[in-house]
Amino acid sequence: MNRQVHQLGFIIAICALTVACSSGKEAPAQTRDSDTVKADTERASNRILEMLDVKGKVTETGAMTSPCSDYDSAEEVYRESHPWSIYKASFADMQKGVERLRVELPKDGWKIVKDGRDGSQLNSPQIIAESKGREFAVDVRLHKASKVGNSPPLLEVTVESRCYRTPVTPTASEG
């Protein structure tokens, strides 16, 4: 029974992060400009950082484009993913940030679809939420300091966009 509950939790987490999880086939991807989606993903990510309001160091990464695996490989469908972390902050401050996020996400139009443990060996607290129109999903995990590998406390965040297609540009022979 516990194994089935764990597997169900894992499936829910994967569906939430792929944003447009459906039974069978992925929802049709909208055509969008990749620079616009990247900027929107980073804006959503910055808003999450504001809601957390944790004073510490934040990794400097930008959104990255990757293929959406839920589509036929012949289709050119992408998603933006913006992973980052907060470190050099106390675990207690990070916990308070996660508590703020639980309150602020729904106020900001996000729906929390998972609030529990991530099922990893460390069994870290995890929140997965989807934005109002399901344009984005966020996965937040709070990791305690670990003597294994001398790891400090870490607040790990990944914001992902919904899958999208890039506009087709006409070639010179078409115009």
Side-chain angles (χ1 to χ4, degrees):
M1 178 71 172
N2 282 342
R3 185 171 186 209
Q4 289 172 332
V5 170
H6 175 71
Q7 287 174 336
L8 180 60
F10 180 74
I11 290 167
I12 290 169
I14 294 299
C15 287
L17 269 186
T18 57
V19 183
C21 182
S22 60
S23 56
K25 281 204 82 151
E26 180 79 27
Q30 294 179 341
T31 300
R32 299 202 52 210
D33 175 69
S34 60
D35 290 338
T36 302
V37 178
K38 185 175 283 198
D40 290 348
T41 303
E42 290 176 355
R43 200 171 4 267
S45 199
N46 286 335
R47 181 67 186 121
I48 299 294
L49 179 60
E50 289 171 7
M51 285 186 256
L52 284 165
D53 191 28
V54 174
K55 306 301 178 226
K57 298 283 185 182
V58 179
T59 54
E60 301 282 333
T61 63
M64 300 173 285
T65 306
S66 60
C68 274
S69 59
D70 302 333
Y71 289 85
D72 183 339
S73 61
E75 295 183 81
E76 292 188 23
V77 181
Y78 305 96
R79 83 167 16 108
E80 297 300 325
S81 180
H82 190 206
W84 51 272
S85 300
I86 299 175
Y87 61 102
K88 289 196 177 177
S90 73
F91 186 76
D93 286 348
M94 291 181 194
Q95 280 182 309
K96 289 175 187 171
V98 171
E99 286 302 319
R100 271 190 296 279
L101 202 58
R102 282 187 178 98
V103 172
E104 295 300 320
L105 281 170
K107 288 181 184 177
D108 209 51
W110 291 75
K111 179 182 178 187
I112 296 175
V113 295
K114 179 183 179 187
D115 189 353
R117 299 290 176 163
D118 68 0
S120 69
Q121 188 174 7
L122 298 175
N123 210 20
S124 299
Q126 177 184 34
I127 295 175
I128 297 176
E130 296 175 343
S131 64
K132 185 175 166 180
R134 295 183 58 179
E135 301 92 352
F136 302 101
V138 62
D139 182 341
V140 179
R141 297 172 195 235
L142 177 60
H143 304 287
K144 288 183 177 178
S146 172
K147 291 179 183 173
V148 177
N150 198 24
S151 302
L154 184 73
L155 187 56
E156 178 185 10
V157 178
T158 302
V159 176
E160 286 193 340
S161 73
R162 172 184 295 186
C163 293
Y164 66 93
R165 284 182 169 66
T166 54
V168 177
T169 6
T171 62
S173 63
E174 293 177 301

